[in-house]
Amino acid sequence: MSDRDGHPAGPAPHRAPSPAELLEAIGTGDDEATTCRELAGFLFRTLCDAAAVDLTVDGRTERVASAGAVGLLRAPAPPPEPGGRPGVRAVDEGHPLRSWTLRPGGAPVHGLSAALTRHGTSYGTLLAVRTGAAFTDQEAAALHFAARLAAVHIRHARRLAATERVALNLQRALVSDPGRPHPNLLVAGRYLPVGPSALVGGDWFETVRLHFGRTLLVVGDVMGHGLDAAVDMNAYRSTLREVAATELAPHRVLRQLDALVAGDAARRPATCLLVRVDPARGTALFASAGHLPPAVFAADGAGRLLDVPVGPPLGTGLGGYESAAHPFTDEEVLVLYTDGLVERRGEDIDASLARLTALRLPPGASAGEAVDAVVAGLDARHAEDDVAVLAARVRSRPAHP
């Protein structure tokens, strides 16, 4: 930019931003790094020549954001001793501002700092520095308000991150420890939460060992996200283990689950797909509660969807579940999954499922290789929702001479 005479324009004059401006500019995201960048950037544009935010993380102080003439930020505040003690401005009780002026041989450098404190917890320090005129009381009050506002958002971000970690750890612990199938069935599973810090959902899978060498495979998806969904998922999983142990057919297991969940108004609905695999007979019995169809990949790696009757999601109390049998040999790989694997925003579900069956697995792929190929082929690590995948293959019996 330039003035009317064509000379470069200088920096905008410093001013004290209003509370309304600060409220609009700071805390637009749910993570503390975004809040700190917004805080430093906005103060640099309005109040000072340089601004920085130092946060305390695990007992260590780290500079997480800075803006402006960062060289000015290297000038330390005077030590708290006679002749160099920073001034303290008591803006309000328990939230003082520290101010100082250094004269390094050139223009004086004025500094202001405020603790990022909320409910007695200090999250770090906000620092603002400029040359020229000292900070006015109005500007000091604006910086103090900015520090308190940022502390509110940082506290919220850390509490949200802690909740996410609890839910994610719970989810991973539950999904990573399914029951053991019979030795005649090889299984592999994968759970992928959406995004690096998003709230987890209620996706899960399970295996239940039954009599006569049979194994029940389960994949389900509780509606919603967060800790509540993860807790409901655990409740579904525990109840299913109990019901499945009665050796009921898959559709009757779903009927029992639906009746039990429907009696609890606090429980969220869920979709679920059950498969009872009988390697000795080379068959699998399927039943679905509102879930997407399973896929089977042949020995040459070609995939297809299986036709399974679909009943309502669990928790509606409507019942109406049916079972369907399909051949399942040791040359095939069965893949169960939640909707996050295939669904994409704005895409018809038939097109989404077609992308799955269009995949070509390595010929003779193991259960683990099938999971890897499906996750990679559908770019599940960048999915728009949580993903759970469970693959199974009958263990080949050695040929007798």
Side-chain angles (χ1 to χ4, degrees):
M1 295 181 60
S2 60
D3 59 23
R4 282 182 287 183
D5 295 326
H7 300 297
H14 297 137
R15 64 180 180 84
S18 68
E21 290 177 293
L22 289 164
L23 287 167
E24 184 175 353
I26 298 171
T28 63
D30 287 330
D31 63 288
E32 62 184 55
T34 298
T35 294
C36 294
R37 288 194 298 268
E38 292 171 344
L39 177 61
F42 183 75
L43 292 180
F44 162 64
R45 294 191 299 272
T46 58
L47 189 67
C48 56
D49 297 329
V53 182
D54 297 334
L55 290 187
T56 301
V57 181
D58 297 329
R60 302 186 308 274
T61 299
E62 301 177 3
R63 178 148 296 176
V64 296
S66 61
V70 294
L72 291 175
L73 298 171
R74 299 191 184 102
E81 58 186 21
R85 184 186 302 274
V88 177
R89 305 186 187 187
V91 177
D92 59 44
E93 184 177 357
H95 294 85
L97 281 169
R98 299 171 67 244
S99 63
W100 62 91
T101 298
L102 298 176
R103 301 182 184 277
V109 178
H110 307 283
L112 270 180
S113 68
L116 301 170
T117 303
R118 180 67 174 169
H119 293 321
T121 300
S122 178
Y123 299 101
T125 304
L126 169 62
L127 173 65
V129 178
R130 77 184 187 193
T131 59
F135 292 98
T136 66
D137 289 343
Q138 185 178 10
E139 290 170 331
L143 182 132
H144 177 264
F145 180 82
R148 297 193 67 180
L149 175 62
V152 171
H153 288 293
I154 291 171
R155 179 175 184 266
H156 170 75
R158 292 194 176 181
R159 295 182 68 181
L160 179 60
T163 300
E164 291 176 357
R165 285 193 298 271
V166 169
L168 182 57
N169 290 337
L170 173 61
Q171 181 87 349
R172 283 176 170 162
L174 293 171
V175 174
S176 64
D177 186 29
R180 293 183 179 181
H182 281 283
N184 57 16
L185 191 67
L186 304 174
V187 301
R190 185 81 54 83
Y191 167 67
L192 299 171
V194 58
S197 62
L199 288 173
V200 298
D203 295 36
W204 57 289
F205 53 78
E206 177 64 284
T207 65
V208 181
R209 184 183 294 206
L210 304 175
H211 291 113
F212 310 114
R214 300 174 301 175
T215 298
L216 184 68
L217 305 178
V218 187
V219 65
D221 186 0
V222 178
M223 296 180 184
H225 287 79
L227 186 57
D228 289 342
V231 170
D232 279 353
M233 177 268 291
N234 184 37
Y236 272 104
R237 188 177 183 182
S238 299
T239 304
L240 180 134
R241 285 175 173 172
E242 296 177 5
V243 176
T246 62
E247 300 282 335
L248 293 173
H251 70 283
R252 296 185 64 188
V253 172
L254 291 180
R255 188 183 305 165
Q256 291 275 8
L257 277 174
D258 180 55
L260 290 171
V261 175
D264 184 353
R267 192 72 65 210
R268 301 177 184 215
T271 66
C272 188
L273 177 65
L274 304 184
V275 187
R276 191 175 71 188
V277 180
D278 189 343
R281 299 177 183 272
T283 62
L285 191 61
F286 298 79
S288 174
H291 208 82
L292 292 175
V296 170
F297 292 85
D300 62 359
R304 71 184 191 279
L305 298 177
L306 295 182
D307 185 16
V308 176
V310 180
L314 298 174
T316 63
L318 299 176
Y321 305 106
E322 301 177 34
S323 293
H326 290 276
F328 183 43
T329 71
D330 58 8
E331 295 184 346
E332 298 173 313
V333 178
L334 176 66
V335 176
L336 316 180
Y337 53 91
T338 55
D339 54 10
L341 177 69
V342 295
E343 290 185 352
R344 299 295 181 265
R345 188 177 294 109
E347 181 180 69
D348 183 79
I349 186 59
D350 290 334
S352 303
L353 292 172
R355 287 189 295 107
L356 171 62
T357 54
L359 294 176
R360 198 79 175 188
L361 268 58
S366 67
E369 290 170 338
V371 170
D372 290 340
V374 168
V375 166
L378 297 181
D379 194 22
R381 296 189 181 278
H382 299 95
E384 298 166 0
D385 197 0
D386 299 339
V387 174
V389 182
L390 180 65
R393 180 165 192 158
V394 174
R395 186 188 295 273
S396 299
R397 285 178 283 186
H400 295 288

